[in-house]
């Protein structure tokens, strides 16, 4: 990857990276979002480690894109072109594999709710909006991935088999918000969305800076295998400049989580429809 060349678009790589000055943690990069078929906030993480109720995983919208960009720029050692971010809003493929983690300040939310309730009690009874705005939340994590074709030799009967893999371009999390399962949930959410859209996804991989032992350990604890050899010269602005590829196959748990998520989404849609019909 040539980061210094103005003629080549940098290969948006995924490399868990930690900046000691701001104490953030970076896990990867991504480039996908489907605004037409995804829920506004998605908790599809493992039942064994659900997210706290004040954390939501949400698609990237125009309103949160500046914060999404700032988070990645703060943590990652690569400066991505403007199109890396703007295509999330314009390209359904890039949109579907991008997510943000929002941390909601419950104390501020409760205070504002009490103020809203008091204000409503002093006004004539009218239909009021029910959704809580996200203005009380802080974007603390971001993920952006893309789908890549996997070269597969033709089958014995001559048919060409198509497979894809998920490439983690950027996965970043501010360090004060670690230990809550946020980064894991961001990654699981994107994997689930990719499986929902494509039945031929076979694996997921990322590049990690060779000196980032913390990042390598994070991936290994989640079933990734660290491949050899080190790719020398991958990070032109870092010393050492090598990268390791971490990779894992898509397994039964990934497919079960996807099916559970789709089923839950259908149940929620059915309940909303029933509520509308009963009015």
């Amino acid at each position: 990857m040539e980061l210094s060349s103005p003629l080549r678009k940098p290969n948006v790589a995924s490399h868990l990276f930690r900046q000691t000055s701001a104490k953030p943690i970076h896990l990867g990069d991504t480039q996908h979002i489907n605004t037409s078929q995804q829920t506004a906030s998605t908790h599809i993480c493992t039942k064994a480690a659900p997210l706290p109720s004040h954390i939501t995983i949400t698609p990237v919208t125009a309103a949160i894109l500046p914060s999404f960009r700032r988070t990645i720029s703060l943590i990652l050692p690569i400066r991505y072109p403007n199109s890396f971010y703007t295509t999330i809003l314009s390209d359904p493929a890039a949109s579907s594999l991008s997510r943000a983690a929002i941390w909601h300040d419950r104390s501020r939310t409760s205070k504002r709710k009490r103020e809203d309730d008091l204000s409503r009690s002093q006004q004539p009874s009218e239909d009021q909006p029910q959704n809580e705005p996200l203005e009380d939340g802080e974007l603390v994590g971001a993920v952006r991935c893309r789908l890549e074709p996997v070269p597969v030799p033709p089958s014995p009967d001559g048919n060409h088999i198509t497979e894809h893999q998920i490439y983690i371009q950027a996965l970043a999390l501010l360090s004060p918000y670690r230990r809550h399962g946020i980064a894991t949930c961001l990654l699981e959410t994107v994997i689930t969305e990719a499986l929902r859209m494509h039945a031929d996804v076979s694996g997921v991989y990322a590049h990690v800076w060779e000196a980032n032992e913390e990042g390598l350990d994070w991936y290994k604890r989640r079933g990734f295998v660290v491949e050899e050899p080190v790719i020398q010269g991958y990070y032109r602005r870092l010393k050492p400049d090598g990268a390791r590829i971490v990779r894992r196959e898509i397994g039964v748990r990934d497919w079960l989580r996807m099916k559970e998520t789709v089923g839950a989404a259908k149940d929620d849609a059915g309940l909303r429809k029933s509520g509308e019909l009963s009015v």
Side-chain angles (χ1 to χ4, degrees):
M1 177 176 65
E2 297 183 49
L3 298 178
S4 59
S5 171
L7 300 179
R8 287 188 59 184
K9 184 176 180 179
N11 179 21
V12 272
S14 117
H15 34 243
L16 189 79
F17 183 82
R18 185 175 183 178
Q19 283 182 318
T20 55
S21 59
K23 296 184 179 179
I25 186 169
H26 151 211
L27 302 168
D29 294 323
T30 169
Q31 184 177 32
H32 257 68
I33 187 168
N34 186 339
T35 54
S36 62
Q37 298 183 359
Q38 53 199 15
T39 58
S41 124
T42 316
H43 291 283
I44 60 175
C45 302
T46 57
K47 293 182 179 179
L51 282 178
S53 60
H54 58 285
I55 301 171
T56 57
I57 305 299
T58 180
V60 181
T61 63
I64 66 176
L65 184 62
S67 296
F68 183 89
R69 180 172 187 163
R70 281 195 300 271
T71 299
I72 291 179
S73 298
L74 170 67
I75 298 174
L76 308 190
I78 298 176
R79 293 297 173 260
Y80 301 110
N82 186 56
S83 59
F84 178 78
Y85 302 98
T86 57
T87 52
I88 295 176
L89 302 180
S90 60
D91 182 1
S95 172
S96 64
L97 298 186
S98 299
R99 290 294 187 276
I102 309 296
W103 182 287
H104 300 275
D105 188 325
R106 288 176 292 184
S107 61
R108 285 194 301 169
T109 300
S110 299
K111 179 180 179 181
R112 186 174 58 79
K113 187 176 186 302
R114 289 194 300 269
E115 293 173 348
D116 289 346
D117 291 342
L118 177 61
S119 175
R120 290 170 186 171
S121 67
Q122 297 173 346
Q123 295 177 358
S125 176
E126 296 178 358
D127 292 336
Q128 299 289 342
Q130 299 299 314
N131 296 329
E132 287 288 328
L134 294 179
E135 60 191 32
D136 290 318
E138 178 183 359
L139 194 150
V140 300
V143 64
R144 189 181 194 280
C145 302
R146 69 174 180 232
L147 278 181
E148 297 179 343
V150 179
V152 178
S155 61
D157 57 7
N159 293 327
H160 289 274
I161 303 174
T162 303
E163 285 188 12
H164 287 86
Q165 59 187 348
I166 303 168
Y167 179 57
I168 306 171
Q169 298 173 280
L171 176 55
L173 178 65
L174 300 178
S175 64
Y177 302 93
R178 296 169 59 189
R179 314 285 182 197
H180 295 282
I182 298 175
T184 300
C185 191
L186 281 168
L187 182 56
E188 288 182 352
T189 301
V190 168
I191 292 175
T192 297
E193 181 65 13
L195 294 179
R196 190 185 67 80
M197 297 174 60
H198 302 276
D200 60 357
V201 178
S202 60
V204 54
Y205 79 105
H207 287 88
V208 180
W209 184 35
E210 63 172 313
N212 187 1
E213 294 296 332
E214 186 179 23
L216 292 169
D217 288 343
W218 187 90
Y219 278 106
K220 286 189 287 186
R221 291 196 304 271
R222 285 149 185 83
F224 285 76
V225 175
V226 181
E227 299 182 350
E228 297 288 351
V230 174
I231 303 174
Q232 300 296 340
Y234 191 85
Y235 297 111
R236 298 297 183 87
R237 299 179 182 178
L238 299 178
K239 295 297 180 183
D241 60 6
R244 290 185 178 275
I245 291 179
V246 295
R247 188 188 306 272
R248 80 165 174 85
E249 295 181 354
I250 296 298
V252 175
R253 290 183 179 180
D254 299 304
W255 286 104
L256 290 176
R257 184 170 56 246
M258 185 274 291
K259 291 183 179 297
E260 290 176 357
T261 303
V262 171
K266 289 182 179 179
D267 290 343
D268 290 344
L271 290 174
R272 287 195 298 270
K273 185 176 181 180
S274 298
E276 292 172 358
L277 292 176
S278 63
V279 173

